[in-house]
Amino acid sequence: MLEFTKMQGLGNDFICVDYDKVSRYNLSIFSKYVCDRHFGIGADGVILYSKSKIADCKMRIFNSDGTEANMCGNGIRCLARLMYENGFINKNKMKIETLAGIKEVECITQNEKIMSIKVNMGKPQMDINKLPIYIPRNYKYHSNKCKLMLKVGDREIEGIFLSIGNPHTVIEYKGITDAQVAKYGKIVENYKYFPQKTNVEFVEIIDRNNINMKVWERGAGRTLACGTGAVASSYAMYKEEKVDNEVNVKLDGGDLKICIEDDETVSMEGIALKVFEGEIDL
């Protein structure tokens, strides 16, 4: 029997497992099986944690389709809470190793109770020469922001491509419906310009400090929230001079606070909660 903990950050849910207990398995097949909401536990992804030689712990994240992601904003908050509350890490400020580098995480507490979790996400990457993207030779694009026109179904949509350790395409779209997120999101995720595919965020600006965001996640599809997507959307709109440096991102599963510092490093703050602990027979 395999012990696991189910965690969620704004409805973005994860199965957290000690890597040493599943290292003998094919992790892609394992992730698809346990994430299945009918025949498995059910989740958007699997978080595997282990000891690290360069940080307080190491995180690997697999999507529900079995692909491995470099980074997950909601996932790292979930792992930080699990590590702190279960005593694996006995301090509220910690460093977590990911495929996107070491991330500094702080569990913000009051009377020893975690109120929120803040993550230093680093500086987003918008240099087209350092992004996982292929653009035809004669294609005209805005090199300073990597703005692209994408043929999506029956229309052309402008997207801003950037990386937060994983690739994102941010699309400003007022009044988008869930059906349109699914329709357009799947097309953009697999667009020919993106050899590693892309996460897709649809953004509607409310005012200088608030935006609505719906997301189609690479490897997971429609989810209630995406932490790196909230960072990507806020930063993209900030570079477009449409929002200030502090942004409240309203997602289907709740809100995230995004702050862009003077050096353009970005922090993300929000909740993460334990759903339940259990065992599964593999």
Side-chain angles (χ1 to χ4, degrees):
M1 299 292 285
L2 174 67
E3 296 178 347
F4 67 88
T5 303
K6 180 79 175 284
M7 304 285 295
Q8 63 91 3
L10 306 186
N12 201 191
D13 56 348
F14 306 94
I15 300 161
C16 300
V17 178
D18 185 334
Y19 170 75
D20 290 339
K21 295 181 179 179
V22 296
S23 59
R24 67 184 183 275
Y25 297 114
N26 180 305
L27 296 178
S28 177
I29 295 173
F30 167 78
S31 299
K32 285 192 286 186
Y33 169 64
V34 296
C35 286
D36 190 295
R37 296 188 186 276
H38 300 287
F39 297 100
I41 301 166
D44 293 323
V46 172
I47 294 172
L48 304 174
Y49 56 87
S50 61
K51 294 180 180 179
S52 170
K53 295 181 179 179
I54 57 176
D56 294 303
C57 72
K58 181 177 181 179
M59 177 182 90
R60 292 180 68 182
I61 171 80
F62 283 80
N63 297 311
S64 57
D65 72 347
T67 57
E68 186 170 9
N70 290 348
M71 175 57 186
C72 178
N74 288 323
I76 199 170
R77 294 200 322 278
C78 287
L79 180 59
R81 179 165 199 143
L82 179 64
M83 294 293 99
Y84 180 76
E85 288 191 333
N86 284 17
F88 295 117
I89 299 175
N90 58 3
K91 53 186 178 181
N92 68 323
K93 291 184 178 181
M94 62 190 75
K95 293 182 179 180
I96 298 178
E97 179 187 354
T98 75
L99 290 180
I102 296 175
K103 303 299 179 184
E104 296 178 350
V105 186
E106 179 182 3
C107 296
I108 299 171
T109 60
Q110 182 177 328
N111 297 324
E112 299 184 356
K113 180 180 179 181
I114 295 177
M115 307 305 293
S116 64
I117 300 168
K118 186 175 182 179
V119 185
N120 182 340
M121 301 292 287
K123 182 178 179 179
Q125 180 60 256
M126 298 188 85
D127 184 345
I128 197 168
N129 296 310
K130 297 179 181 179
L131 293 171
I133 188 170
Y134 165 77
I135 298 179
R137 183 179 302 173
N138 297 323
Y139 183 88
K140 294 183 179 180
Y141 59 88
H142 303 270
S143 59
N144 62 326
K145 296 175 185 173
C146 202
K147 294 172 68 174
L148 307 164
M149 291 303 299
L150 308 173
K151 179 70 175 177
V152 181
D154 55 355
R155 63 194 304 166
E156 282 195 335
I157 295 177
E158 185 177 71
I160 299 175
F161 187 70
L162 67 162
S163 174
I164 317 296
N166 54 358
H168 291 265
T169 301
V170 178
I171 297 168
E172 190 175 354
Y173 196 119
K174 186 175 182 179
I176 194 165
T177 65
D178 288 339
Q180 288 172 320
V181 171
K183 177 182 177 181
Y184 298 143
K186 188 173 183 178
I187 295 172
V188 176
E189 177 196 5
N190 296 281
Y191 208 80
K192 59 186 178 181
Y193 294 162
F194 310 130
Q196 297 180 16
K197 300 187 179 182
T198 182
N199 296 281
V200 190
E201 287 79 38
F202 298 91
V203 174
E204 181 176 353
I205 295 174
I206 302 171
D207 55 42
R208 300 281 309 178
N209 297 105
N210 294 276
I211 64 174
N212 286 325
M213 189 193 99
K214 291 183 179 293
V215 62
W216 178 271
E217 287 200 58
R218 179 183 64 160
R222 186 78 172 92
T223 61
L224 296 178
C226 177
T228 54
V231 171
S233 296
S234 300
Y235 188 78
M237 294 299 100
Y238 174 77
K239 297 297 283 187
E240 290 286 285
E241 300 182 352
K242 294 183 177 181
V243 298
D244 295 333
N245 68 311
E246 293 186 1
V247 183
N248 185 53
V249 183
K250 298 181 179 295
L251 304 116
D252 292 333
D255 294 4
L256 281 173
K257 296 178 181 179
I258 308 298
C259 182
I260 303 167
E261 304 295 343
D262 292 340
D263 62 358
E264 296 196 356
T265 58
V266 185
S267 66
M268 168 196 66
E269 183 179 343
I271 62 170
L273 299 170
K274 181 188 294 185
V275 183
F276 62 87
E277 295 176 334
E279 296 179 336
I280 185 169
D281 188 355
L282 299 177

